[in-house]
């Protein structure tokens, strides 16, 4: 028998349906909540990273008296509403044609291109529009969802979510710390997980993420679309320092590695910019606790050289007093590159 793509799809769907691991993590229909049984070593931060939800949401859904969970407990990790919301297709904004309307006028009013209006309204003849006729426009953020739009160094943020200080991370200036809801959840979840493993850790400082609506933020080129965050490193000895130059003596490889690894394991990280010298400290620490070179290769630029474009953890000038993390584009993010 020749293997055709369809066979692969049939085989894969059989695998997904018959594999209990998948079945357990998949709501069957819209009215389902998503449940998960807590495993040894789990904490709410880890679970939040895995399912892409907020810790506070899980606390609410499960009416937890405190943000703690025991292995064996069955948790709601996505409420009915959340499951429904994720399945919903974006709703268009309906513009009703007025006297004198043209595609150009509508394009200016809603800040979308004429080409897009044409694509969304193939049946409408721009030269023969009727008064009252409906024009459909898909405008990011109009449905209230948080969207990263465009490039990190030429983008915007719709319905940005303010990152507030949480145990483990102190926000320097909330007005400059807006990200997509997803990105803020990812940062908070990793901070939570870190505090579970290192309860005595001093807070690191969250510097700039983006402005509420994104766009240019001096002095950065990026930080425009709610996917970039500057955060100070952990200092050895649980000393709280904020941004300051770190070296081999002061850099806490144990906690910094734990934090980075938590994010990298979530699959949501595009880059973490770390000074090359500090990468070496991290790399050597990771090796000392049993990671092989083959495991570390896709993660680190080190030891390939600071100008070689490889790895998630990369050198970029000015990252010896803080690291810069860029998260990958989310499902809702438009024109995201
Ligand atoms: Zn930065």
């Amino acid at each position: 028998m020749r293997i055709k793509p369809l066979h692969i799809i049939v085989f894969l769907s059989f695998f997904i349906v018959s594999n209990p691991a998948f079945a357990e993590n998949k709501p069957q229909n819209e009215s389902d909540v998503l449940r998960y049984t807590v495993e040894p070593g789990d904490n709410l931060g880890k679970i939040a990273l895995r399912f892409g939800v907020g810790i506070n949401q899980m606390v609410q859904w499960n009416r937890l008296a405190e943000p703690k969970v025991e292995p064996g407990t069955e948790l709601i990790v996505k409420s009915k509403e959340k499951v429904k919301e994720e399945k919903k297709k974006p709703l268009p904004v309906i513009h009703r044609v007025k006297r004198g309307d043209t595609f150009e006028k509508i394009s200016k009013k809603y800040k979308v291109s004429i080409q897009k209006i044409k694509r969304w309204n193939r049946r409408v003849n721009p030269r023969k529009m009727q008064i009252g006729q409906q024009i459909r426009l898909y405008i990011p953020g109009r449905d209230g969802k948080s969207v990263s739009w465009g490039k990190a160094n030429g983008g915007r943020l719709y319905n940005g979510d303010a990152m507030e200080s949480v145990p483990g991370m102190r926000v320097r200036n909330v007005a400059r710390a807006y990200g997509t809801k997803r990105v803020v959840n990812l940062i908070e979840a990793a901070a939570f997980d870190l505090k579970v493993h290192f309860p005595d850790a001093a807070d690191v400082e969250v510097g700039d993420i983006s402005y509420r609506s994104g766009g240019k933020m001096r002095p950065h080129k990026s930080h425009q679309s709610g996917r970039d965050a500057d955060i100070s490193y952990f200092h050895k000895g649980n000393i709280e320092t904020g941004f300051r130059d770190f070296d081999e003596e002061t850099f806490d490889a144990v906690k910094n590695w734990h934090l980075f690894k938590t994010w990298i394991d979530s699959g949501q990280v595009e880059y973490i910019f770390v000074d090359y010298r500090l990468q070496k400290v991290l790399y050597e620490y990771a090796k000392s606790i049993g990671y092989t070179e083959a495991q570390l290769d896709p993660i680190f630029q080190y030891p390939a050289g600071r100008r070689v474009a490889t790895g998630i953890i990369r050198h970029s000038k000015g990252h010896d007093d803080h690291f810069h993390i860029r998260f990958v584009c989310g499902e809702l993010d438009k024109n995201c590159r």
Side-chain angles (χ1 to χ4, degrees):
M1 181 178 95
R2 275 180 52 215
I3 306 283
K4 295 180 183 159
L6 182 66
H7 294 141
I8 297 171
I9 290 167
V10 169
F11 170 75
L12 278 179
S13 15
F14 175 74
F15 173 75
I16 289 167
V17 171
S18 60
N19 184 320
F22 279 101
E24 185 191 35
N25 293 338
K26 204 109 204 154
Q28 298 304 308
N29 59 58
E30 277 198 5
S31 61
D32 279 353
V33 299
L34 181 60
R35 292 175 199 277
Y36 168 76
T37 306
V38 179
E39 288 173 13
D42 272 343
N43 60 64
L44 280 179
K46 226 172 135 181
I47 300 170
L49 281 157
R50 177 163 172 181
F51 293 98
V53 293
I55 291 168
N56 292 338
Q57 289 181 303
M58 275 194 293
V59 168
Q60 266 180 25
W61 296 334
N62 295 282
R63 297 168 203 269
L64 302 177
E66 49 175 352
K68 260 191 183 161
V69 285
E70 297 297 329
T73 313
E74 195 174 72
L75 270 190
I76 295 172
V77 289
K78 266 175 203 176
S79 70
K80 219 191 252 185
E81 287 70 31
K82 175 88 181 153
V83 170
K84 233 172 155 175
E85 184 196 302
E86 282 184 1
K87 287 190 174 168
K88 235 195 318 196
K89 291 205 179 94
L91 283 176
V93 172
I94 304 291
H95 172 86
R96 284 178 194 278
V97 175
K98 291 195 246 349
R99 189 175 298 278
D101 260 353
T102 60
F103 271 19
E104 202 185 342
K105 270 193 185 167
I106 299 170
S107 144
K108 278 198 183 126
K109 179 170 180 202
Y110 294 94
K111 298 190 177 70
V112 293
S113 69
I114 294 174
Q115 283 98 315
K116 278 192 180 145
I117 301 177
K118 281 186 182 157
R119 200 188 322 138
W120 295 326
N121 299 278
R122 289 197 194 280
R123 292 186 179 181
V124 178
N125 180 340
R127 272 172 292 276
K128 288 183 183 164
M129 287 196 291
Q130 311 283 322
I131 290 174
Q133 193 172 8
Q134 298 189 359
I135 306 293
R136 287 142 53 124
L137 306 153
Y138 292 88
I139 297 165
R142 275 298 176 101
D143 52 5
K145 287 185 184 173
S146 185
V147 177
S148 169
W149 189 95
K151 292 190 280 189
N153 58 3
R156 275 173 265 161
L157 175 61
Y158 293 93
N159 301 313
D161 204 27
M163 161 115 199
E164 313 223 358
S165 296
V166 292
M169 289 190 189
R170 173 174 43 81
V171 174
R172 187 201 292 157
N173 180 351
V174 177
R176 296 172 68 98
Y178 280 83
T180 59
K181 196 167 191 51
R182 187 180 70 95
V183 161
V184 171
N185 280 345
L186 286 164
I187 298 174
E188 290 183 355
F192 187 97
D193 171 81
L194 191 112
K195 280 300 260 190
V196 171
H197 286 89
F198 305 98
D200 298 331
D203 290 357
V204 290
E205 184 175 88
V206 178
D208 292 343
I209 304 179
S210 290
Y211 286 128
R212 186 176 200 148
S213 306
K216 180 82 189 145
M217 179 188 257
R218 280 172 214 289
H220 312 284
K221 287 201 186 84
S222 62
H223 289 269
Q224 295 200 19
S225 61
R227 290 194 293 128
D228 295 280
D230 286 345
I231 303 174
S232 73
Y233 296 113
F234 286 99
H235 190 291
K236 263 189 199 161
N238 297 329
I239 298 168
E240 192 170 334
T241 59
F243 287 34
R244 54 157 276 173
D245 285 355
F246 279 81
D247 57 28
E248 293 81 349
E249 299 305 312
T250 54
F251 186 81
D252 187 337
V254 181
K255 296 188 191 72
N256 289 314
W257 171 251
H258 184 95
L259 182 65
F260 293 175
K261 191 68 172 51
T262 307
W263 274 319
I264 291 169
D265 286 347
S266 77
Q268 301 296 314
V269 180
E270 191 168 340
Y271 298 117
I272 305 175
F273 296 119
V274 175
D275 185 87
Y276 198 68
R277 269 182 326 135
L278 300 176
Q279 279 188 48
K280 179 175 191 278
V281 184
L282 269 183
Y283 183 91
E284 276 166 7
Y285 166 71
K287 263 182 91 172
S288 78
I289 57 167
Y291 286 93
T292 63
E293 282 176 22
Q295 286 171 316
L296 297 179
D297 264 0
I299 298 179
F300 281 93
Q301 176 187 48
Y302 182 89
R306 64 177 69 205
R307 267 175 271 278
V308 182
T310 180
I312 295 171
I313 298 178
R314 289 192 191 193
H315 176 79
S316 159
K317 234 175 106 187
H319 293 89
D320 42 16
D321 64 345
H322 73 281
F323 64 90
H324 173 136
I325 182 164
R326 177 169 306 153
F327 293 96
V328 298
C329 298
E331 254 175 78
L332 297 173
D333 298 340
K334 290 258 180 293
N335 301 324
C336 183
R337 277 162 289 160

